[in-house]
Amino acid sequence: MQELDEQLEVAPEPSEVGRARRWVRAQLGRGQSCPACPDESQTDTLVLLVSELVTNAVVHTGRPALLRLAVREPDSVRLEVVDDSARAPRPRRAAGEDTGGRGLELVELLADRWGWQEEGAGKRVWCELTCPPARRAPGGGERRREPRGERKVPARY
């Protein structure tokens, strides 16, 4: 069952990366009543993942793309960027002072799962983040999330 399933067309311009970040944050903010919606730190991670995936599409293809966001019960958020370039994504290892080449490395570190597949004449690059459902605290009070282990979360993007 999906709680949220939205998409955004992205033009091949660098300014679209910021628009995609704002869009995904707004979409996730609308869905806070669903059990699988991420908390604030998970939303920050998802926004960074969107930034990296959309940047790769804009910079490396120079073509329009489609950003998809799906929040699925019980505990998964999936991001997809679909473009019409058949060129496969290639993770690189950036040297210390390089200004690029860290995008897919960040996706690999922050997402629970990621990959890509051919789609028509192009491809779909996707990643997923597990967001445990909120649980009632003993005694009924505040809602909290079950911890998923230690993970560094980026500062608000």
Side-chain angles (χ1 to χ4, degrees):
M1 177 178 167
Q2 287 184 267
E3 295 287 332
L4 183 65
D5 191 5
E6 300 291 335
Q7 60 185 32
L8 174 71
E9 292 182 19
V10 179
E13 300 173 15
S15 63
E16 290 288 85
V17 177
R19 186 171 76 92
R21 287 192 302 256
R22 289 186 299 275
W23 177 83
V24 78
R25 190 174 293 282
Q27 297 304 310
L28 292 170
R30 288 191 309 130
Q32 287 303 322
S33 61
C34 73
C37 284
D39 64 23
E40 188 175 339
S41 68
Q42 293 162 332
T43 296
D44 290 344
T45 300
L46 286 161
V47 168
L48 179 55
L49 290 167
V50 164
S51 186
E52 296 305 326
L53 294 180
V54 172
T55 297
N56 281 350
V58 168
V59 169
H60 297 296
T61 72
R63 300 175 182 173
L66 185 65
L67 169 62
R68 293 182 180 145
L69 167 69
V71 177
R72 299 183 171 132
E73 282 215 52
D75 65 358
S76 177
V77 179
R78 183 177 176 108
L79 300 169
E80 301 177 349
V81 175
V82 180
D83 63 51
D84 63 358
S85 169
R87 187 172 159 198
R90 289 188 348 252
R92 300 183 321 181
R93 297 286 183 227
E97 298 299 316
D98 289 350
T99 59
R102 292 175 180 84
L104 290 176
E105 186 175 1
L106 283 170
V107 171
E108 187 171 327
L109 288 170
L110 295 173
D112 293 311
R113 294 163 295 286
W114 83 276
W116 72 278
Q117 62 200 58
E118 293 178 359
E119 180 160 313
K123 67 183 169 302
R124 171 192 316 253
V125 181
W126 59 270
C127 66
E128 292 181 344
L129 190 64
T130 301
C131 300
R135 304 213 185 276
R136 288 261 173 225
E142 64 192 50
R143 294 172 65 86
R144 60 187 164 96
R145 300 210 180 247
E146 294 297 318
R148 16 175 305 205
E150 196 165 323
R151 169 175 272 198
K152 297 215 185 257
V153 177
R156 189 171 207 112
Y157 213 72

